[in-house]
Amino acid sequence: EFYSIGHSVHSERVNDACWVDCGQSTYLLTGSNDCLVKLSKFENDQFICVAELPPHESCVRGVCSSCHKDSSVSLLVTCGGKLSMEFYLLDHQTTEMSDHCTASINSNVSF
């Protein structure tokens, strides 16, 4: 059984979600089979999309965020189904995203 609050944020199933604590506000970061990552805020009893990141080449498999307690930015990391990761900085004051940095892992990498 699925539970929904407000309008649908994605057009397909959400594969991962995490909370992003920005001090005064908390956001929900979601990644979906629709290849999109969206940042939403809970307002007026519903989730409202405040930012949509550039789409992944394939479905989004994972999202996470990290913030040092004294920092004014959060690091957002998104992972796609074709072994790609994208990194963003989210400014807590303006909720603006930095340009993204992309990293890909190919099958020839050895450890």
Side-chain angles (χ1 to χ4, degrees):
E1 182 174 323
F2 293 99
Y3 181 71
S4 178
I5 298 177
H7 300 289
S8 176
V9 176
H10 288 276
S11 63
E12 294 187 35
R13 185 183 183 113
V14 172
N15 292 324
D16 200 13
C18 73
W19 293 108
V20 181
D21 184 5
C22 293
Q24 300 289 343
S25 300
T26 301
Y27 296 90
L28 183 64
L29 186 67
T30 55
S32 170
N33 278 346
D34 61 10
C35 303
L36 298 175
V37 176
K38 296 187 179 187
L39 187 69
S40 301
K41 185 174 185 177
F42 192 71
E43 266 182 11
N44 301 321
D45 295 327
Q46 64 182 346
F47 283 104
I48 298 168
C49 181
V50 296
E52 183 176 306
L53 303 181
H56 275 261
E57 186 178 342
S58 64
C59 64
V60 178
R61 296 290 186 199
V63 296
C64 67
S65 71
S66 178
C67 181
H68 186 273
K69 66 177 181 163
D70 297 325
S71 179
S72 63
V73 295
S74 289
L75 173 65
L76 308 180
V77 182
T78 67
C79 304
K82 292 199 175 182
L83 301 175
S84 67
M85 297 174 71
E86 295 186 0
F87 303 86
Y88 301 85
L89 292 177
L90 172 66
D91 185 297
H92 293 181
Q93 301 300 318
T94 64
T95 64
E96 289 183 11
M97 293 294 174
S98 67
D99 290 336
H100 71 282
C101 172
T102 302
S104 294
I105 303 170
N106 72 34
S107 58
N108 298 327
V109 174
S110 59
F111 297 92

